[in-house]
Amino acid sequence: MLTLLKLLKDGRFHSGQALGVALGISRSAVWKQLQHLEAELGLSVHKVRGRGYQLAKPLLLLDAAEISAGGLCEWPVHIFDSIDSTNAEALRSIERGVEAPFMVLAERQIAGRGRRGRKWVSPFADNLYCSVVLRIEGGMRQIEGLSLVVGLAVMHALRDMGVSKAGLKWPNDVLVGEKKIAGILLELVGDPADVCHVVLGVGVNVNMQSTDEVDQQWTSMCLEARRDFDRNELVVRLGAKLQQYLRLHHASGFTAIQLEWEQYHLWQGRAVSLIAGVNQIDGVVMGVDRQGALRLKVDGVEKIFSGGELSLRLRDDS
Ligand code: ATP
């Protein structure tokens, strides 16, 4: 089915006969595959008698050669047409002994995930689904604040490509105003105090224009900048930004990034509720500390909060 899609991706008309010859199948088999394409991948195909078939919109697919030609992203790239989740594939690759660093990309995720088992909506060829695997030696300092560092790198890649209002929400969301444009999910295997692997999962809404599956405010690069983007270019820029910030973090720790991170934090000084399971703490955001933990003023006293189970929400009076 995806071979057929690759023949159609230029957005031109292709006759059923030519497609059948290229694929070594009958015209009616081509027709059936087209039905599947529409149903499974949510793509729309124009069918015109005498001319053939045409995708409603040309598709720019991920392309390893284009990414490496970009020259900025040093990591080997593994691209999948369809996968459960790029983080899950990255974890399997670590298990199989694939040498890090490397990057996993997919055209779509069947079971894309956010924090605490929440779903990440991942339609075909619209967005970026990316996991970078790093091998980390030398203890906890290399992990401290890492998800904030990834958020900052993602935000800069988006800004460089024209999403000038992208900003951060602690701990690791990238927003435009109050709308989510990218999510980050870090997963770790091994002993963080010794040698471990960390998977930096990044989902960015690139060309997505509509979905009724996301249950909070969201946006995409395309909706913000009013043009389509080439995801290969985003991979190149994101790879370069991640490498830049990871190097800084490796050399000097989160301290070197703390002030810059706060500068882009959209919720600095805002009244928020910090949710931890069934508990809620109300306060005002002061910033982050040298490890990337949240500094919150609660009843006039500054308190520090960290941990993967925490979520921030704006309070109505903020
Ligand atoms: P938190 O503040 O705890 O990070 P969150 O709701 O943003 O909360 P995440 O785990 O970061 O949680 O992301 C998962 C959530 O993001 C989903 O529950 C859904 O609301 C939203 N979401 C899912 N897919 C997308 C998408 N493609 N774009 C934007 N938001 C999405």
Side-chain angles (χ1 to χ4, degrees):
M1 187 171 74
L2 288 166
T3 322
L4 170 60
L5 187 62
K6 282 170 190 164
L7 294 171
L8 287 170
K9 74 178 174 137
D10 57 11
R12 300 210 175 122
F13 272 104
H14 296 261
S15 73
Q17 189 181 356
L19 291 171
V21 170
L23 295 171
I25 58 176
S26 67
R27 278 165 60 177
S28 67
V30 169
W31 170 261
K32 272 194 200 136
Q33 284 203 17
L34 282 165
Q35 308 284 8
H36 279 295
L37 268 187
E38 290 188 294
E40 257 214 44
L41 303 183
L43 297 169
S44 148
V45 181
H46 297 150
K47 303 164 184 100
V48 177
R49 194 177 283 275
R51 296 191 73 188
Y53 307 108
Q54 177 194 43
L55 280 181
K57 195 172 129 185
L59 272 184
L60 265 178
L61 296 175
L62 294 167
D63 183 336
E66 229 181 273
I67 293 167
S68 71
L72 294 172
C73 178
E74 294 163 8
W75 297 310
V77 172
H78 309 285
I79 300 178
F80 294 80
D81 289 329
S82 179
I83 204 151
D84 47 358
S85 90
T86 56
N87 266 30
E89 175 57 28
L91 291 168
R92 286 192 292 269
S93 302
I94 295 168
E95 187 100 332
R96 285 199 306 272
V98 176
E99 198 182 325
F102 60 93
M103 185 188 261
V104 179
L105 300 171
E107 294 290 3
R108 74 162 169 173
Q109 300 185 115
I110 309 288
R113 51 191 205 227
R115 300 199 300 158
R116 278 163 278 156
R118 285 184 292 226
K119 178 179 171 180
W120 188 258
V121 173
S122 309
F124 184 83
D126 263 344
N127 298 329
L128 185 70
Y129 318 115
C130 165
S131 296
V132 172
V133 178
L134 305 174
R135 184 175 187 274
I136 294 200
E137 278 176 61
M140 293 305 284
R141 204 178 86 139
Q142 296 304 316
I143 313 281
E144 271 167 10
L146 192 55
S147 63
L148 283 75
V149 174
V150 175
L152 189 63
V154 172
M155 184 207 76
H156 275 303
L158 297 190
R159 283 179 165 244
D160 285 358
M161 290 186 78
V163 185
S164 57
K165 293 194 182 125
L168 301 166
K169 174 197 149 193
W170 187 90
N172 55 9
D173 282 343
V174 182
L175 308 180
V176 176
E178 292 183 13
K179 300 177 185 167
K180 189 152 159 163
I181 192 166
I184 290 157
L185 177 68
L186 260 61
E187 295 185 273
L188 198 137
V189 275
D191 178 0
D194 184 20
V195 177
C196 67
H197 283 90
V198 61
V199 178
L200 316 176
V202 178
V204 181
N205 295 335
V206 184
N207 295 321
M208 185 160 81
Q209 298 208 33
S210 66
T211 172
D212 42 24
E213 285 189 83
V214 179
D215 56 3
Q216 62 172 288
Q217 291 194 74
W218 65 274
T219 187
S220 66
M221 295 174 69
C222 165
L223 289 173
E224 293 303 318
R226 299 204 181 135
R227 68 174 181 92
D228 277 349
F229 287 88
D230 179 352
R231 291 169 303 142
N232 295 304
E233 188 189 342
L234 176 60
V235 173
V236 171
R237 290 189 188 240
L238 176 62
K241 281 290 168 205
L242 279 171
Q243 279 153 16
Q244 176 192 333
Y245 278 96
L246 289 170
R247 246 180 249 128
L248 181 60
H249 183 242
H250 186 266
S252 314
F254 185 74
T255 330
I257 291 153
Q258 178 189 3
L259 286 180
E260 187 188 355
W261 196 93
E262 284 182 341
Q263 186 193 328
Y264 289 104
H265 192 204
L266 294 168
W267 291 10
Q268 284 292 110
R270 304 287 298 268
V272 295
S273 297
L274 183 66
I275 318 282
V278 291
N279 299 316
Q280 175 173 330
I281 298 152
D282 291 344
V284 172
V285 176
M286 308 300 295
V288 290
D289 75 359
R290 294 154 70 95
Q291 280 85 38
L294 180 72
R295 298 189 291 121
L296 208 58
K297 191 168 259 182
V298 182
D299 297 330
V301 179
E302 186 173 311
K303 297 199 171 159
I304 303 292
F305 298 92
S306 64
E309 298 300 303
L310 303 174
S311 293
L312 269 191
R313 297 286 176 266
L314 278 181
R315 282 209 322 259
D316 293 342
D317 54 340
S318 67

